[in-house]
Amino acid sequence: MTFEIVFVLLSLLGMVAALVADKMRPGMILFSVVVLFLCAGILTPKEMLEGFSNKGMITVALLFLVSEGIRQSGTLGQVIKKLLPQGKTTVFKAQLRILPSVAFISAFLNNTPVVVIFAPIIKHWAKSVNLPATKFLIPLSYVTILGGICTLIGTSTNLVVHGMILEAGFEGFSMFELGKVGIFIAIAGIIYIFLFSKRLLPDARPDTAVPDEEVEEGEKLHRVEAVLGARFPGINKKLKDFNFQRHYGAEVKEIKTRNGQRFVSNLEDVVLHEGDTLVVMADDTFIPTWGESSVFVLLTNGNEPDTTGKKKRWFALLLLILMIVGATVGELPVTKEMFPGIKLDMFFFVSITTIIMAWTNLFPARKYTKYISWDILITIACAFAISKAMVNSGVADSVAKFIIGLSDDYGPHVLLAMLFIITNLFTELITNNAAAALAFPLALSLASQLGVSPTPFFVVICMAASASFSTPIGYQTNLIVQGIGNYKFTDFVRIGLPLNIITFLISIILIPLIWNF
């Protein structure tokens, strides 16, 4: 074993440990590892920086802005309000109306704004019709994930793998190619949720600190739930070391951690982490003041005012449809023949859509940088460099040989299953994009050493890296619903693990049938 292989393996092991321990933001952890590879001569400066100019990474950045334009237009809020049944209903009937539509929407929009908008509205609605919100919020997060795997733009993971495929010299995915297997997984997953969520999910867990209703304390104060974002300045500090009331003018009454613990006493000694939910008492100015701030992922008091007009909503929806149709038609052979000098792909149309949204003020153009999740972009860019380092050092080939040796005489189908399991374990423990970065060079080496097409391995990475159902920490939407739904960690394991297995079985059976080895 060479020095390069040992160095890269130890660095990757340290990276995974740091990600699991949540020592820093994922982007900085991956960037630190990339700098180590640069210092060891495993990466050149050019190779280190290539990910920052990758088309897939920049497409993800622009899609953040498109999703923000749709969010601020008020389109999503109106859609979910029309989907929610009014009057007496059952959990099953309500899920039947809500979940398939949400999955469809999330196939074309970033999952986080979909959940940020829908979750508080659904929670408030569930209370009004006397149904437990716990039967809807985890399913909401899950169907956004299931919808996202059906298209190229449904999740950043698909775009990351697509970008790596192009970098490796292969033809990437078309807009709906992943839907050939993704739609079967989505349908099976939604049916599973219909049949078992009522039984596996807990009944309503009432908030212990303060009720939802308005509380009078000299002035009108409201109960507000605030999910902490990555830029919250009190991350990894005790509440007593970060004066929340002085910073934000609100008093913390309850803390719900991302591990499922709830604190209503001795709050001053609780250490705050990204994804924790604080229940605070605040006046009417709190949400308008901090609602657009990136320090909170979500702020809700159960009231979602409609401040946008119909024309703005329809215009935003029209732009989204034109972007999707344009990118789909642009990939057709006849279109490529008609416009040989222009590549009419998703990057082309999302760029145009973003500029139109900015100039028509669908999102405030002066504040466009705050709507982009820079840590995700840095994670993606560094993922390309880490993947390159695994190839340059020989780690990818060595691990591939080891895996092939373990499964002699079983053929590529067993290796496909092993790759799914490895990728899925990583995505439950660390970020989905980091999981894809570790799995991609391995997939490439496996296919090369077996002498088969790498496409089935690429597709399985997309499915496995997105299938984060068993833990709340693997996907941001899971963290969001955990806090406002009062879920425990075990709730995700109970309902999510069978969904991981369903995704695994469908992927391993269908992918080799659709994309031949």
Side-chain angles (χ1 to χ4, degrees):
M1 211 179 269
T2 65
F3 165 77
E4 287 83 3
I5 291 177
V6 173
F7 186 83
V8 170
L9 284 174
L10 289 176
S11 298
L12 294 179
L13 188 63
M15 181 189 80
V16 171
L19 287 168
V20 172
D22 194 26
K23 291 296 183 183
M24 292 183 183
R25 294 293 299 145
M28 183 52 68
I29 292 173
L30 267 69
F31 186 67
S32 301
V33 174
V34 169
V35 171
L36 281 177
F37 293 156
L38 178 70
C39 294
I42 295 167
L43 288 175
T44 66
K46 182 176 182 295
E47 290 171 333
M48 175 182 170
L49 296 172
E50 279 175 349
F52 289 90
S53 61
N54 183 270
K55 187 189 288 187
M57 189 273 285
I58 298 173
T59 302
V60 172
L62 296 176
L63 284 170
F64 279 124
L65 297 178
V66 171
S67 294
E68 182 62 24
I70 297 294
R71 187 188 75 82
Q72 294 207 18
S73 72
T75 305
L76 293 178
Q78 289 301 306
V79 167
I80 191 63
K81 287 175 183 176
K82 292 185 183 301
L83 288 175
L84 293 172
Q86 301 304 316
K88 191 174 182 180
T89 187
T90 64
V91 170
F92 179 79
K93 288 179 181 178
Q95 286 184 347
L96 198 60
R97 286 191 59 167
I98 300 168
L99 300 187
S101 300
V102 173
F104 178 80
I105 292 167
S106 66
F108 305 105
L109 289 174
N110 184 281
N111 293 352
T112 302
V114 173
V115 173
V116 164
I117 291 172
F118 287 6
I121 295 175
I122 289 175
K123 182 178 180 180
H124 186 66
W125 162 84
K127 183 183 177 185
S128 70
V129 294
N130 294 316
L131 290 176
T134 47
K135 305 295 186 184
F136 297 95
L137 296 176
I138 279 182
L140 170 67
S141 178
Y142 285 178
V143 295
T144 60
I145 297 172
L146 291 169
I149 63 178
C150 295
T151 67
L152 179 62
I153 63 170
T155 173
S156 61
T157 308
N158 292 351
L159 283 164
V160 169
V161 176
H162 173 73
M164 289 181 173
I165 293 171
L166 296 177
E167 288 282 332
F170 296 93
E171 187 175 347
F173 299 124
S174 60
M175 180 68 174
F176 294 102
E177 186 173 1
L178 291 169
K180 293 176 183 177
V181 65
I183 195 166
F184 289 102
I185 295 172
I187 291 170
I190 292 171
I191 292 173
Y192 163 76
I193 292 170
F194 284 157
L195 296 178
F196 295 100
S197 62
K198 188 175 180 181
R199 198 175 312 163
L200 296 176
L201 287 172
D203 292 326
R205 292 193 178 113
D207 295 292
T208 56
V210 286
D212 288 335
E213 288 79 13
E214 186 177 293
V215 179
E216 296 281 349
E217 291 184 8
E219 57 179 321
K220 289 186 177 181
L221 298 180
H222 305 267
R223 177 185 184 278
V224 177
E225 291 180 282
V227 181
L228 303 184
R231 298 185 184 181
F232 179 72
I235 293 293
N236 295 327
K237 294 180 181 178
K238 290 184 179 180
L239 186 62
K240 67 182 178 183
D241 298 326
F242 180 81
N243 194 325
F244 190 94
Q245 189 159 14
R246 181 171 63 82
H247 280 82
Y248 302 108
E251 183 182 357
V252 179
K253 292 290 189 180
E254 181 180 357
I255 299 175
K256 309 173 195 176
T257 73
R258 62 185 193 176
N259 294 322
Q261 294 178 291
R262 300 170 69 189
F263 297 91
V264 293
S265 60
N266 300 319
L267 297 180
E268 297 297 312
D269 294 321
V270 178
V271 179
L272 304 175
H273 297 95
E274 180 190 355
D276 288 352
T277 300
L278 307 185
V279 179
V280 304
M281 296 306 299
D283 61 22
D284 292 332
T285 65
F286 182 74
I287 289 181
T289 302
W290 300 106
E292 295 297 320
S293 171
S294 56
V295 300
F296 300 110
V297 178
L298 180 148
L299 288 177
T300 178
N301 61 2
N303 299 316
E304 304 295 329
D306 180 24
T307 58
T308 56
K310 284 186 177 180
K311 288 184 179 179
K312 192 174 183 179
R313 293 198 294 267
W314 281 109
F315 181 62
L317 188 59
L318 178 63
L319 285 178
L320 179 65
I321 292 170
L322 290 176
M323 182 188 81
I324 295 164
V325 172
T328 305
V329 173
E331 294 290 338
L332 298 176
V334 62
T335 309
K336 292 178 180 179
E337 290 178 10
M338 290 174 63
F339 303 95
I342 306 176
K343 189 167 179 60
L344 301 174
D345 57 2
M346 175 50 65
F347 176 77
F348 178 88
F349 286 99
V350 75
S351 299
I352 293 173
T353 304
T354 302
I355 293 302
I356 294 174
M357 283 186 165
W359 282 95
T360 55
N361 206 34
L362 281 177
F363 62 83
R366 288 182 178 273
K367 300 179 181 179
Y368 79 96
T369 55
K370 73 185 294 183
Y371 305 125
I372 297 173
S373 181
W374 295 103
D375 187 74
I376 289 178
L377 296 186
I378 293 171
T379 300
I380 292 170
C382 292
F384 285 94
I386 289 172
S387 181
K388 187 69 175 177
M390 290 177 68
V391 174
N392 290 353
S393 64
V395 165
D397 286 338
S398 297
V399 175
K401 285 178 184 176
F402 177 74
I403 293 175
I404 291 172
L406 289 177
S407 54
D408 278 337
D409 304 323
Y410 288 108
H413 291 79
V414 170
L415 296 177
L416 198 71
M418 292 179 69
L419 183 65
F420 184 104
I421 293 170
I422 292 169
T423 307
N424 197 234
L425 284 173
F426 275 130
T427 206
E428 294 288 9
L429 295 173
I430 59 178
T431 67
N432 48 354
N433 293 317
L438 294 173
F440 185 84
L442 184 58
L444 205 57
S445 292
L446 284 172
S448 175
Q449 292 181 37
L450 291 171
V452 298
S453 169
T455 304
F457 294 96
F458 297 155
V459 177
V460 92
I461 290 173
C462 292
M463 299 301 118
S466 293
S468 180
F469 304 113
S470 298
T471 69
I473 61 176
Y475 219 90
Q476 189 177 41
T477 56
N478 288 350
L479 277 175
I480 293 170
V481 300
Q482 183 193 27
I484 66 171
N486 294 327
Y487 292 112
K488 297 178 181 178
F489 192 98
T490 51
D491 294 329
F492 287 87
V493 178
R494 188 184 306 112
I495 190 171
L497 188 58
L499 196 49
N500 279 79
I501 296 170
I502 289 169
T503 306
F504 169 76
L505 292 174
I506 294 175
S507 297
I508 300 309
I509 293 170
L510 290 186
I511 289 173
L513 297 178
I514 299 169
W515 295 274
N516 295 324
F517 284 111

